[in-house]
Amino acid sequence: MAKRIEQPQAPSAATYTCPFCFGSVDLKNIHYQCTNPACTKMFIRQLDEKGARKFRSKNMEEEIDIENSVFLGKDPGGPSPVTTKYHIIRDSSGTCDVCKKHVYKRLCPGCHNPIPQGAEEEGSTVFVVLGPKGVGKSHYIAVLIDQLKNSFSKEFNAIMSSATDRTTLKYREMYYKRLYEEGRKLAPTVSFEESRESREPMIYYLKFFKGDSPRVYTLAFFDTAGEDLDSTGKIMGLNLNSFISRASGIVFLVDPLQIPYINTRIRMDNKPPVGVNVANMLSDIANIIKTNNSLRMRDPVPIPLAVVLTKADVLMKVPENDEESSVLFGMSSSLNIDREKGKYDRTNFEQISAEIEEYMRRAVSTAFVQTVKEFKEHSYFAVSALGSNPTGSVLTRGISPMRVEDPFIWLLNCESLEDKMR
């Protein structure tokens, strides 16, 4: 990886941003969990009438996890609360109040998701993938995670592992199985408004081994429904502003086929309809971040922004006429130049960014490019998660990713992330 992420680890921090609920956690005031299941049984038996109503589940060997139930939108006193067979200690003593032994599993006091070892030094790195409906967010996230776990990890001497069993299950059942095993397109992302459980991100630990001090990143990937970003009011109403404003980096996806200028000129079957105004959507996101972080409207947005043109494979075909040629990337495009492997190829990324920026200025609007410049650190990319256009819902040509890891490599090497990790 680039040299800058091989710096010595950061000094201990007093607070930690939970990558699940985005709460700011005082690491001196957290909850714990005892891994001895006998303590749960004993705790339940010792409860008085009031405590029994609050913590005793239908299964007498498990206790109700009030905080995690609320986080997942379930009524702790209802018919299906979240339960746990491991006793929760709701104080910062680090000692089980049943067996009196020291415990080591730390929990966020707000949502009861795990706080990893090393949180004081490493913190969490949350990358949010945003964009309009139908832009390909789910496909991008699914393929990016697979690439990070396999080819990326081999290239950069790293290991990526799931932080929780729920992440492993969610990725396999909702993404990997359908896409890689069944060879079918993913179903549309369910709105946060319809499913509270969709608010839970997929959390991974990415550990780089190069250098004397291995570095571990806690990564959280959110798959947001495009309709949830339709307006500032909706973003605020669903409380999406919290995780957007505390992100370590934003990947903003733009579908070229939804852009009017491109849609009317490109020749292909099953073209999607023209989409929403991406300049307005990005402007809303920038303003929300400024408001949530008490910034003035003229202040730069401190969160790095990767603007990603998706489905780039359709823009790299041989043009059928002059009109189509005006919206396609030719053989001289910088996208045809491979990046140097095993390092942060700044020159290659800068060449691509300059080309895509000019393309977006022409195809979308000058207003869009000006909004991108409100972000202190920004760069443009072009990727293809699938590598070819599906036939209906079937991936007839399989999956051949094109440069999906580029935005991620750039984000890991942004100055703001470097400062955070020091």
Side-chain angles (χ1 to χ4, degrees), residues 27-213:
L27 290 170
K28 296 179 180 178
N29 187 24
I30 60 177
H31 292 177
Y32 287 85
Q33 194 164 37
C34 182
T35 55
N36 183 355
C39 290
T40 304
K41 299 175 187 177
M42 189 175 297
F43 171 73
I44 290 174
R45 286 198 298 268
Q46 293 175 348
L47 290 172
D48 57 21
E49 184 178 346
K50 181 179 179 181
R53 289 197 303 268
K54 192 173 183 180
F55 295 110
R56 184 176 293 160
S57 68
K58 294 178 181 178
N59 181 349
M60 291 295 290
E61 295 186 352
E62 296 184 358
E63 62 184 74
I64 295 173
D65 188 334
I66 297 172
E67 289 82 351
N68 198 241
S69 295
V70 172
F71 169 68
L72 293 176
K74 298 182 178 182
D75 181 1
S80 57
V82 176
T83 62
T84 175
K85 63 180 179 180
Y86 297 115
H87 177 53
I88 296 169
I89 299 96
R90 290 176 170 82
D91 62 52
S92 57
S93 65
T95 300
C96 178
D97 54 346
V98 177
C99 67
K100 310 303 179 183
K101 293 182 180 179
H102 194 67
V103 290
Y104 299 95
K105 186 172 181 179
R106 306 185 296 176
L107 303 177
C108 167
C111 67
H112 279 181
N113 278 291
I115 298 174
Q117 295 300 318
E120 292 87 348
E121 293 81 21
E122 305 296 351
S124 57
T125 307
V126 180
F127 296 125
V128 179
V129 181
L130 305 174
K133 184 177 181 179
V135 76
K137 291 185 293 296
S138 297
H139 288 115
Y140 178 75
I141 290 173
V143 175
L144 174 62
I145 290 174
D146 185 72
Q147 290 291 100
L148 292 178
K149 291 168 69 175
N150 295 294
S151 59
F152 176 91
S153 292
K154 292 177 183 176
E155 181 181 349
F156 291 105
N157 191 24
I159 290 179
M160 190 164 99
S161 57
S162 303
T164 67
D165 291 339
R166 286 208 298 251
T167 287
T168 300
L169 183 63
K170 182 174 182 177
Y171 178 70
R172 172 160 181 77
E173 295 300 317
M174 295 181 61
Y175 297 88
Y176 188 87
K177 187 175 180 181
R178 182 180 175 100
L179 197 62
Y180 286 91
E181 295 182 357
E182 299 175 3
R184 295 188 296 150
K185 287 174 57 179
L186 298 174
T189 304
V190 178
S191 168
F192 279 17
E193 205 167 30
E194 298 176 27
S195 173
R196 289 288 296 273
E197 289 192 29
S198 68
R199 300 187 183 203
E200 184 173 10
M202 290 180 287
I203 309 291
Y204 293 89
Y205 300 140
L206 181 63
K207 184 174 183 178
F208 291 96
F209 292 98
K210 194 173 181 179
D212 296 332
S213 301

Side-chain angles (χ1 to χ4, degrees), residues 269-328:
D269 296 328
N270 303 315
K271 280 192 294 187
V274 169
V276 301
N277 188 314
V278 290
N280 290 344
M281 179 176 284
L282 185 60
S283 180
D284 287 344
I285 292 169
N287 290 337
I288 283 172
I289 293 171
K290 290 179 181 181
T291 299
N292 272 40
N293 289 285
S294 301
L295 300 173
R296 297 169 297 182
M297 285 297 106
R298 65 174 181 270
D299 290 337
V301 179
I303 301 173
L305 172 71
V307 177
V308 180
L309 201 62
T310 63
K311 307 174 186 177
D313 58 284
V314 303
L315 303 177
M316 303 187 77
K317 67 188 184 89
V318 177
E320 298 182 28
N321 54 42
D322 290 342
E323 188 176 54
E324 188 177 47
S325 179
S326 67
V327 296
L328 299 180

Side-chain angles (χ1 to χ4, degrees), residues 116 218 226 339 364:
T218 301
R339 63 175 175 81
V364 182

